[in-house]
Amino acid sequence: MSDNTILDVKKLSTHFFTENGVVKAVNDVSFSVSEGQTVCIVGESGCGKSVTAMSIMRLIEDPPGKIVDGEILFQDKDLIHASKKDLRRLRGNDISMIFQEPMSSLNPVLTIGEQITEPLFEHRLLTKKQAKQEAIKLIELVGIGRSNEIFHSYPHQLSGGMLQRIMIAIALSCDPLLLIADEPTTALDVTIQAQILELLKEIKEERNMSMLLITHDLGVVAEVADYVVVMYAGKVIEQGSVLDIFKDPKHPYTQGLLQSKPVLNQRKKRLYSIPGQVPNLIDLKPSCYFYDRCEHRMSICGGSIPEKMEVDDNHQVACWLYEKEEVRT
Amino acid sequence: MEETTVQTEHMAKYRKSNLWKQVFRRLVKNKMAMTGLGFLIFIFVFCMIGPFFSPYANGGVDAININQPPSAEHWLGTDALGRDVLTRLMEAGRISLTVGLGAMVMSVFIGTLLGVLAGFYQGIVDQIIMRTADVLMTIPGLPLLFIMAAVMSEWKVPAENRLYIVMVMLSIVGWSGLARLVRSQILSLREREYMHATESLGLRDRRKLFVHLLPNIVPLLIVVGTLSVGGAILSESVLSYFGLGVVPPTASWGNMINAANSLIDFQNRPWLWIPPGVAIFLTVISINLLGDGLRDAIDPKMKSR
Ligand SMILES: Nc1ncnc2c1ncn2[C@@H]1O[C@H](COP(=O)(O)OP(=O)(O)OP(=O)(O)O)[C@@H](O)[C@H]1O
Ligand code: SF4
Ligand SMILES: [Mg+2]
């Protein structure tokens, strides 16, 4: 699987330099996405999921943000040192992104058609007529009828679910290799959520596209993920195949997440909430960041940060509980 | 099947124009704005077409009939060179309206371009543009125009081309206010999520600016542009009155009033200065009424967005 890796993120650290101090939003995060694979990043609000995605797209605003360390390789191209021009060619073309809020992600004064055709002009250099035909096809592809009428309408004339379909159409317009979806269903109501997810899944399979899906909905993870990355306070605390994570979660945090509902193929709105608070990302102590909320904490946990270690094939966890095990065997 | 697609096509077109139709409907309901618009249409037709029906067109000098009061042949009398004042009023209107519109177009163009660049690129570009605008705004407009006009008088520009010089001067003085407004709109627009989305689509700056940002500021441009025509006409009149704008023999409303600058003319020959004065006054008022009406008609839509 790893020989057709599309995206390789190695030891990525993205910090925000604010007045109150350095926010370590993403801290030593590594994972990879291979061809046709769906990787899900899960975690509570504020754990750095979006910042990870934005770092990959190189959309972190500098200042205040900065990728301070690590490597991002997309098809062996180094994105961190890529030129502006190269990035522009890549975005919307090889890597596309869809956002949480479809309502505000479209320009209110431009028609849907005008917005779908833009990347086609920009990256595929189509003529006006070709672009229109292509746009109509895309609108139909994402499951909206009356494509001609939709082409000429304005965003405020469509529902949230339809707009998210349009966003997907725009993202797909240049046949990307990787689609990054940052909580694409959070702003929609439940029945629409399922439809959008189904659509993404279908299209992904049809095109053998890779997908990096960000969510805090474990139901979504169970439904679409091949591989899961669990983040906590800017760090990856566990990662593994979807089966490993659901059947045999190792980290106390993951276990907590799954505690109330570890059943596959069943959907739930919110994460089971673990008592306690996410630590402030500004002054993190050199301890396990989950220390305050962990039921299994030991003395060592309060004194040093656990390293990520392999507990199984392709299943890694950062927790002192397993360090001992590893040392023993 | 065929029919339904035609129908939906039609519906979409209807909706597309709907936004502007709403604005238009609201504008039509505004009596003041419509009065202004009505008068503007009248003055426009009057000035542009009127001279074709006048037997005195092209400034025929008539040494026998100088300074005649209004009569059946000369409805508004004649001036010191025996020219028909009514005809001259129309010809002057052509010039004054042209200068007003031309200056507006130029200053809207400059102001929009610089405002968009400043707001979008920020940093040093913004600094240079906005500091220049600040300087222009702290110097009162008229003295600045006088100085520029005095300098330009040295260049010996032929009288018939003076109006272009005046347009350029007015737009140099006039762009800064609009640039400021445009810049602040762009600053807030560029933080909208859909602008971040354009970044993630890898669009060129040119597309972001002209496809995404510009349509959002069109309402602002329409309102400010309309209102600025009035200001430009006024400034032109003042300059021409002082002999620094459009100079005779080319007529403008401003230099027509200048013809009555002696006390004797002022007291005894009111037909020389009242018509151009009234024309300036009514035109500027009408433009302001229309501009305010447009703003009111456009605003609610901008709010609902
Ligand atoms: N521009 C910024 N300046 C300072 N801090 C920031 C900035 N952007 C993000 N952060 C910080 O980075 C951390 C991670 O944010 P991120 O948006 O990645 O969270 P998330 O996991 O996507 O959460 P959510 O589920 O709510 O979307 C947060 O603590 C946030 O405060
Ligand atoms: S390292 Fe310690 S505190 Fe952290 S999760 Fe593991 S057991 Fe709990
Ligand atoms: Mg987020």
Side-chain angles (χ1 to χ4, degrees):
Chain A
M1 252 225 162
S2 58
D3 45 323
N4 50 14
T5 300
I6 279 207
L7 176 74
D8 201 0
V9 178
K10 292 181 189 162
K11 298 190 173 302
L12 176 72
S13 293
T14 306
H15 297 177
F16 290 96
F17 298 87
T18 66
E19 279 171 19
N20 302 326
V22 181
V23 180
K24 295 183 177 170
V26 172
N27 197 346
D28 193 15
V29 165
S30 305
F31 64 91
S32 64
V33 182
S34 41
E35 209 179 293
Q37 193 185 28
T38 301
V39 173
C40 275
I41 303 183
V42 279
E44 276 167 297
S45 191
C47 68
K49 304 183 296 289
S50 297
V51 175
T52 306
M54 296 299 256
S55 302
I56 294 167
M57 287 295 274
R58 291 290 318 280
L59 290 173
I60 297 290
E61 240 173 297
D62 179 11
K66 197 164 171 32
I67 297 176
V68 291
D69 198 15
E71 265 184 284
I72 301 169
L73 300 177
F74 178 77
Q75 291 194 303
D76 299 324
K77 243 177 296 170
D78 177 5
L79 295 193
I80 291 181
H81 299 104
S83 69
K84 267 195 165 169
K85 200 170 158 195
D86 285 343
L87 286 173
R88 193 172 55 64
R89 289 209 181 124
L90 217 65
R91 292 180 193 143
N93 195 14
D94 292 330
I95 310 180
S96 284
M97 185 155 181
I98 42 185
F99 300 91
Q100 181 170 343
E101 285 285 345
M103 309 275 186
S104 51
S105 301
L106 287 162
N107 194 332
V109 300
L110 300 181
T111 61
I112 300 297
E114 283 168 312
Q115 307 194 52
I116 296 190
T117 48
E118 265 183 316
L120 298 171
F121 293 135
E122 185 75 63
H123 298 297
R124 285 171 58 184
L125 311 173
L126 297 187
T127 64
K128 225 174 163 169
K129 213 171 141 195
Q130 291 169 323
K132 177 166 182 186
Q133 284 175 347
E134 191 65 34
I136 298 276
K137 263 194 239 160
L138 283 163
I139 296 173
E140 278 158 12
L141 174 80
V142 294
I144 307 180
R146 302 177 296 141
S147 48
N148 223 315
E149 190 189 335
I150 298 294
F151 185 89
H152 292 286
S153 9
Y154 285 90
H156 68 90
Q157 293 165 331
L158 307 186
S159 67
M162 271 164 117
L163 290 178
Q164 194 59 295
R165 285 174 192 267
I166 295 296
M167 292 307 295
I168 293 172
I170 295 175
L172 291 176
S173 59
C174 297
D175 236 331
L177 296 165
L178 173 67
L179 178 68
I180 301 179
D182 190 350
E183 313 204 21
T185 59
T186 311
L188 308 172
D189 56 47
V190 187
T191 46
I192 311 289
Q193 283 185 6
Q195 290 171 11
I196 295 288
L197 215 59
E198 197 52 43
L199 174 70
L200 280 174
K201 221 167 124 179
E202 251 169 49
I203 287 169
K204 194 221 102 185
E205 246 135 61
E206 222 166 78
R207 305 192 163 202
N208 197 28
M209 188 173 68
S210 308
M211 191 150 81
L212 180 63
L213 185 75
I214 292 171
T215 178
H216 47 231
D217 186 338
L218 282 177
V220 171
V221 179
E223 233 166 279
V224 300
D226 298 316
Y227 192 82
V228 184
V229 176
V230 186
M231 285 184 72
Y232 187 80
K235 273 187 149 323
V236 174
I237 49 103
E238 183 163 6
Q239 61 190 73
S241 72
V242 69
L243 277 177
D244 284 341
I245 297 290
F246 276 84
K247 283 224 173 107
D248 187 20
K250 297 287 191 195
H251 198 283
Y253 176 65
T254 320
Q255 288 167 353
L257 289 183
L258 290 162
Q259 193 178 323
S260 57
K261 208 201 86 355
V263 188
L264 280 162
N265 295 325
Q266 214 179 305
R267 303 177 47 80
K268 197 176 166 277
K269 273 218 83 171
R270 284 270 151 185
L271 292 181
Y272 160 74
S273 60
I274 301 158
Q277 293 266 307
V278 185
N280 186 343
L281 295 181
I282 289 181
D283 32 37
L284 290 167
K285 287 181 263 326
S287 65
C288 171
Y289 299 154
F290 192 56
Y291 183 77
D292 293 339
R293 300 164 78 184
C294 183
E295 292 171 356
H296 305 282
R297 63 178 169 224
M298 308 166 290
S299 57
I300 185 172
C301 306
S304 58
I305 304 172
E307 287 290 318
K308 216 160 59 173
M309 64 208 85
E310 202 97 5
V311 285
D312 214 339
D313 230 15
N314 234 333
H315 185 179
Q316 293 158 319
V317 62
C319 170
W320 286 118
L321 288 173
Y322 303 95
E323 181 80 14
K324 282 188 289 182
E325 226 169 72
E326 193 155 82
V327 173
R328 261 184 250 134
T329 49
Chain B
M1 190 65 213
E2 191 66 56
E3 209 167 12
T4 52
T5 50
V6 170
Q7 216 171 355
T8 50
E9 187 92 282
H10 171 77
M11 266 175 66
K13 284 218 180 81
Y14 167 75
R15 279 184 182 168
K16 186 168 184 171
S17 58
N18 215 6
L19 295 175
W20 288 109
K21 262 194 191 139
Q22 276 175 18
V23 170
F24 186 70
R25 226 173 285 138
R26 274 193 292 262
L27 186 66
V28 170
K29 274 195 209 132
N30 185 334
K31 291 210 180 64
M32 300 291 262
M34 289 327 284
T35 312
L37 182 64
F39 181 75
L40 286 175
I41 291 172
F42 164 74
I43 197 97
F44 222 81
V45 172
F46 173 74
C47 295
M48 296 298 161
I49 301 179
F52 295 119
F53 297 98
S54 161
Y56 310 107
N58 299 321
V61 176
D62 183 354
I64 305 162
N65 288 315
I66 63 170
N67 289 336
Q68 294 289 314
S71 63
E73 291 93 66
H74 300 281
W75 294 356
L76 291 177
T78 60
D79 67 4
L81 294 175
R83 293 172 299 197
D84 180 53
V85 172
L86 180 61
T87 310
R88 235 174 126 61
L89 186 70
M90 297 191 273
E91 287 169 352
R94 283 184 179 180
I95 301 297
S96 290
L97 291 174
T98 310
V99 170
L101 286 171
M104 179 273 281
V105 169
M106 273 194 253
S107 62
V108 164
F109 180 78
I110 301 174
T112 307
L113 187 70
L114 294 182
V116 165
L117 292 179
F120 189 75
Y121 288 106
Q122 301 178 310
I124 186 79
V125 182
D126 186 25
Q127 289 292 322
I128 294 172
I129 293 173
M130 286 337 278
R131 290 304 79 79
T132 315
D134 284 346
V135 170
L136 278 173
M137 286 180 94
T138 47
I139 307 174
L142 276 177
L144 187 63
L145 283 172
F146 280 16
I147 295 166
M148 281 201 288
V151 172
M152 286 180 186
S153 308
E154 300 290 296
W155 297 350
K156 304 271 181 294
V157 180
E160 66 267 26
N161 290 343
R162 282 292 287 251
L163 80 157
Y164 302 111
I165 298 281
V166 176
M167 278 186 211
V168 171
M169 285 187 338
L170 291 177
S171 54
I172 289 174
V173 176
W175 65 268
S176 55
L178 179 64
R180 228 162 222 290
L181 289 172
V182 168
R183 172 181 174 271
S184 69
Q185 282 235 323
I186 297 290
L187 279 181
S188 88
L189 289 170
R190 75 195 295 281
E191 295 307 322
R192 299 280 164 88
E193 204 154 324
Y194 57 81
M195 289 313 294
H196 293 300
T198 62
E199 189 73 39
S200 78
L201 285 174
L203 300 186
R204 261 164 236 268
D205 288 355
R206 189 157 40 88
R207 264 180 199 288
K208 288 188 227 159
L209 288 174
F210 297 111
V211 180
H212 277 269
L213 291 174
L214 212 51
N216 278 291
I217 57 170
V218 166
L220 173 78
L221 297 183
I222 289 176
V223 173
V224 177
T226 306
L227 289 170
S228 78
V229 176
I233 288 178
L234 265 184
S235 300
E236 181 273 331
S237 300
V238 174
L239 277 180
S240 300
Y241 176 79
F242 286 105
L244 292 166
V246 179
V247 292
T250 312
S252 94
W253 287 336
N255 68 27
M256 279 181 78
I257 298 180
N258 172 272
N261 66 355
S262 75
L263 196 59
I264 299 170
D265 279 344
F266 183 77
Q267 286 182 333
N268 300 343
R269 305 195 178 99
W271 65 87
L272 291 182
W273 60 269
I274 286 180
V278 169
I280 294 170
F281 178 73
L282 288 181
T283 306
V284 172
I285 293 258
S286 302
I287 288 170
N288 287 347
L289 288 177
L290 178 64
D292 286 344
L294 276 170
R295 191 187 49 215
D296 294 343
I298 285 172
D299 243 355
K301 191 184 90 236
M302 293 203 292
K303 270 178 222 145
S304 77
R305 264 180 198 162

